[in-house]
Amino acid sequence: MENRIVKFYSRESNMLALHAIPGHFATSNSHINFYIDVTGMKARVKEAEEAAKILAHKFGHLGYADTIVCMDGTEVIGAFLAKEFEKEHIASTNQHKTVYVISPEQSRDNQMIFRDNTKNMIAGKHIILLLATTTTGETIRKSMEGIQYYGGIIEGIGSIFSTVDSIGNSRVHALFNENDVIGYQAFPKADCPFCKQGTKIEAVVNGFGYSKL
């Protein structure tokens, strides 16, 4: 699949580019015609730092930021984003006046879990939720429910790529959207035109990567 990669550069920085692979792919909630690969931005320090700077600008002035909850392996971006918040002197209720950057566990039924040693980083804290890719918004909804279950207060949502503008009253701040990837489409599983044509799924994909079938 890798020889079909198409690059789509950020409108805000030529350092950042999505690697998109055309085909027939399945996420946990939909079928898509492009796999969006954001591995470089998550793993390369310079790109992660640049992504964090742009995301911090998109968030604007936040009232508080205590904890960044990182999904899909976005911890490197999350760490740089925390530094950007501190540079901008965004208030924190944390006693040490610095931002926590953590990742939850996921149960077998995809429920978010915070262990006793990290619950204090969520309960009563102002939370930024950070994801790699968002197609239907279902992962965001489940993540928000999990954070709120543990007593967290959602202050903002960020994603490297998102086709969703908002969830409830919360805006999704994204580096890239479907308009940046020419021809990108997502379909409910029951209405997927590829499936109706008998085209096999090439890979199961999520924010971590893909597994060929």
Side-chain angles (χ1 to χ4, degrees), residues 62-213:
L62 294 167
Y64 289 92
D66 297 321
T67 301
I68 300 175
V69 173
C70 299
M71 309 294 289
D72 311 325
T74 56
E75 292 86 353
V76 180
I77 296 175
F80 282 116
L81 185 58
K83 295 297 291 183
E84 291 298 316
F85 289 159
E86 291 176 2
K87 284 180 189 176
E88 294 173 12
H89 303 291
I90 292 173
S92 170
T93 66
N94 296 332
Q95 186 175 2
H96 42 70
K97 301 304 177 186
T98 190
V99 178
Y100 292 115
V101 179
I102 62 174
S103 297
E105 290 182 56
Q106 298 291 127
S107 67
R108 291 183 179 180
D109 54 355
N110 288 323
Q111 295 299 310
M112 184 178 281
I113 299 172
F114 293 100
R115 300 289 179 176
D116 290 351
N117 53 307
T118 56
K119 284 180 180 178
N120 65 310
M121 302 177 188
I122 300 296
K125 300 297 184 181
H126 300 268
I127 309 295
I128 303 297
L129 177 62
L130 181 61
L131 305 98
T133 59
T134 304
T135 304
T136 65
E138 190 60 29
T139 298
I140 292 179
R141 290 187 188 92
K142 289 181 179 178
S143 298
M144 291 175 70
E145 288 173 2
I147 289 167
Q148 290 164 347
Y149 172 81
Y150 283 95
I153 305 160
I154 305 292
E155 287 288 338
I157 302 166
S159 186
I160 300 174
F161 173 82
S162 180
T163 63
V164 179
D165 294 327
S166 61
I167 300 292
N169 295 324
S170 298
R171 183 179 174 188
V172 179
H173 301 278
L175 294 177
F176 297 86
N177 60 40
E178 70 272 23
N179 295 321
D180 296 308
V181 181
I182 299 169
Y184 181 92
Q185 291 181 289
F187 314 97
K189 295 176 183 179
D191 297 325
C192 175
F194 295 109
C195 292
K196 291 179 180 179
Q197 293 167 7
T199 304
K200 292 184 178 180
I201 295 170
E202 295 185 54
V204 175
V205 303
N206 62 19
F208 288 101
Y210 62 87
S211 297
K212 294 179 183 178
L213 297 179

Side-chain angles (χ1 to χ4, degrees), residues 13-44:
S13 173
N14 59 14
M15 286 180 62
L16 302 179
L18 288 179
H19 290 188
I21 301 173
H24 180 199
F25 306 100
T27 74
S28 58
N29 300 302
S30 64
H31 287 195
I32 53 178
N33 68 336
F34 276 97
Y35 163 59
I36 305 298
D37 185 3
V38 296
T39 305
M41 275 178 270
K42 293 192 297 181
R44 296 189 188 109

